[in-house]
Amino acid sequence: MGTASLALFLLLPVLDPGAVQGEVIQDLNRCSWFFQGKTPPQGFDTQNRIKICQRYKNHYHFVTLYRTDLRIPVYSAYRYPCTMGVDKKQRPDPWFYEPQIDNPCASVEMISSNDISSDNQAVDADYQFSGYDRGHLCPYSFNRNDSATATCTLTNAVPQKHKANVNWAKEAENIVRKLAVECDKSGRSMYVVTGSANSTNIKVKNKIMVPEVAWTALCCTSPPDQNNDPCLNNNLRSERKNVMMYDKDFSAAFRKRMMPEETGVRLTVRELQGQLGVGKMFESCRGTSADDEAETFKEVTMLIEGEVPVENRGDSVSRWSWVFAVVYCLLSEMGLNWA
């Protein structure tokens, strides 16, 4: 694609918002339920950024803000639980890419990047023999069915050294998933935004910029519309049959310099926003203001360690009913009953 053609393509959504009808769009109303309060994170630069409702097999699975000049995503926003499609999940080889970034008349769904090259985004060949992993932002492990497969698109990946990628999974992703499961047990949904920051001078095959920092922010709260939420569908596998540990809204954030020897840190959402120099990640969430962030940080720490006091679980559950529920679950798993 020549310079003039590329410039015309980048202007198309501005001149005519209806010109691009697939995932690459000008506004995010088609997939706004992935954002808390249906409001995207505020304060991120929009120059050379493309908004993508990540679509696979006729479903939207998450949202990405993608940077074409660096060929990496700025962030991906997703929910837990939120499962779309019915096919068994798989890791495609090669990974997918977004054809509409190069051609607005192309397929409205992500497709295989086999034997494809691009001047505007990463493709699978760019990572081959590069020494870098394709680091998910929206994690494969958080999802089931087609939603898991859909995370294996290069518009959802940043280059990461393998050890750093593994450590990020241990220090952030695994903990976020644990918190998401507990959030689901309380009847709430987890809203998550995961991104990259701080450009380095390193480019994979002189094309894909390697970011210095990975980060993630989460908010556990009730969906705005229980009766009209695409994420609340019949394909979900509820975690609520297990004992609930905690019955409050909460938020948290994680940040890591993507060096194998560096340790990731947990911080408040407000602290992460300040370090990134952006506005609000979430429209409204407990623990994102100066008034309640210290209390929420302490309680999330206890939740991660499995030490949340019973009195923080809500008025509806007494201490003895909680103990009874734990004993009942243990006996049930042993094949015993109360008869």
Side-chain angles (χ1 to χ4, degrees):
M1 179 179 291
T3 303
S5 297
L6 175 59
L8 178 59
F9 163 65
L10 294 175
L11 285 172
L12 275 174
V14 178
L15 297 175
D16 180 7
V20 178
Q21 296 295 328
E23 283 111 311
V24 179
I25 58 176
Q26 185 61 15
D27 67 72
L28 294 168
N29 289 332
R30 297 180 189 177
C31 51
S32 62
W33 60 86
F34 291 108
F35 301 115
Q36 194 273 320
K38 296 188 176 182
T39 302
Q42 304 298 299
F44 287 88
D45 190 1
T46 59
Q47 187 175 4
N48 295 316
R49 274 67 163 177
I50 289 179
K51 303 168 186 174
I52 307 173
C53 289
Q54 297 280 12
R55 180 167 163 167
Y56 177 64
K57 292 191 176 179
N58 204 34
H59 291 290
Y60 293 129
H61 301 274
F62 58 100
V63 184
T64 298
L65 182 65
Y66 191 80
R67 187 163 177 174
T68 55
D69 57 336
L70 302 181
R71 305 191 200 192
I72 59 170
V74 178
Y75 66 72
S76 287
Y78 47 102
R79 295 265 301 274
Y80 185 97
C82 190
T83 293
M84 299 291 176
V86 296
D87 290 345
K88 184 178 180 180
K89 72 179 185 180
Q90 60 177 324
R91 293 180 182 267
D93 186 22
W95 278 32
F96 302 128
Y97 86 119
E98 175 49 65
Q100 288 197 331
I101 290 179
D102 294 309
N103 178 6
C105 298
S107 169
V108 299
E109 297 200 353
M110 61 180 72
I111 60 176
S112 174
S113 63
N114 187 36
D115 296 327
I116 295 294
S117 61
S118 172
D119 293 330
N120 307 302
Q121 62 182 308
V123 296
D124 213 61
D126 296 332
Y127 278 90
Q128 292 178 4
F129 310 110
S130 68
Y132 286 88
D133 288 358
R134 299 161 295 193
H136 285 79
L137 294 189
C138 176
Y140 181 85
S141 61
F142 277 40
N143 294 276
R144 298 170 57 234
N145 303 349
D146 292 330
S147 288
T149 304
T151 66
C152 297
T153 175
L154 291 165
T155 51
N156 180 49
V158 296
Q160 295 175 344
K161 285 295 186 180
H162 178 69
K163 185 62 176 179
N165 192 16
V166 170
N167 289 345
W168 174 248
K170 293 178 180 178
E171 297 164 3
E173 287 182 3
N174 293 348
I175 298 174
V176 172
R177 190 175 190 282
K178 177 180 179 179
L179 293 173
V181 169
E182 295 302 333
C183 178
D184 182 42
K185 290 178 187 176
S186 70
R188 295 170 171 82
S189 287
M190 183 75 86
Y191 295 82
V192 190
V193 185
T194 300
S196 61
N198 296 12
S199 300
T200 66
N201 294 323
I202 305 171
K203 284 190 175 182
V204 176
K205 295 189 177 179
N206 202 32
K207 293 180 179 180
I208 309 169
M209 193 279 294
V210 178
E212 180 187 29
V213 169
W215 57 266
T216 192
L218 61 90
C219 169
C220 171
T221 189
S222 298
D225 188 350
Q226 296 276 1
N227 297 317
N228 188 26
D229 187 337
C231 281
L232 303 180
N233 59 70
N234 294 330
N235 291 328
L236 290 180
R237 179 176 57 193
S238 177
E239 308 283 355
R240 299 175 197 171
K241 63 182 179 181
N242 299 316
V243 176
M244 177 176 62
M245 291 180 61
Y246 191 69
D247 194 20
K248 288 184 180 180
D249 290 4
F250 62 86
S251 61
F254 298 82
R255 185 179 186 274
K256 176 181 173 64
R257 289 186 68 240
M258 295 307 291
M259 303 294 292
E261 66 277 9
E262 294 270 351
T263 301
V265 297
R266 182 165 61 88
L267 60 168
T268 70
V269 172
R270 200 166 66 98
E271 288 172 334
L272 177 63
Q273 290 168 175
Q275 291 181 13
L276 296 177
V278 300
K280 294 169 63 175
M281 292 283 185
F282 308 109
E283 184 182 52
S284 177
C285 194
R286 178 172 174 263
T288 58
S289 70
D291 295 334
D292 56 17
E293 66 179 354
E295 177 187 31
T296 305
F297 188 90
K298 178 181 178 181
E299 292 179 9
V300 170
T301 301
M302 299 175 72
L303 184 59
I304 292 171
E305 297 173 353
E307 299 177 356
V308 175
V310 174
E311 56 266 26
N312 283 340
R313 302 181 62 247
D315 296 335
S316 62
V317 184
S318 69
R319 180 183 299 271
W320 287 111
S321 63
W322 176 75
V323 173
F324 178 83
V326 172
V327 173
Y328 181 85
C329 288
L330 290 174
L331 290 174
S332 297
E333 289 180 0
M334 295 169 62
L336 303 177
N337 57 54
W338 298 92

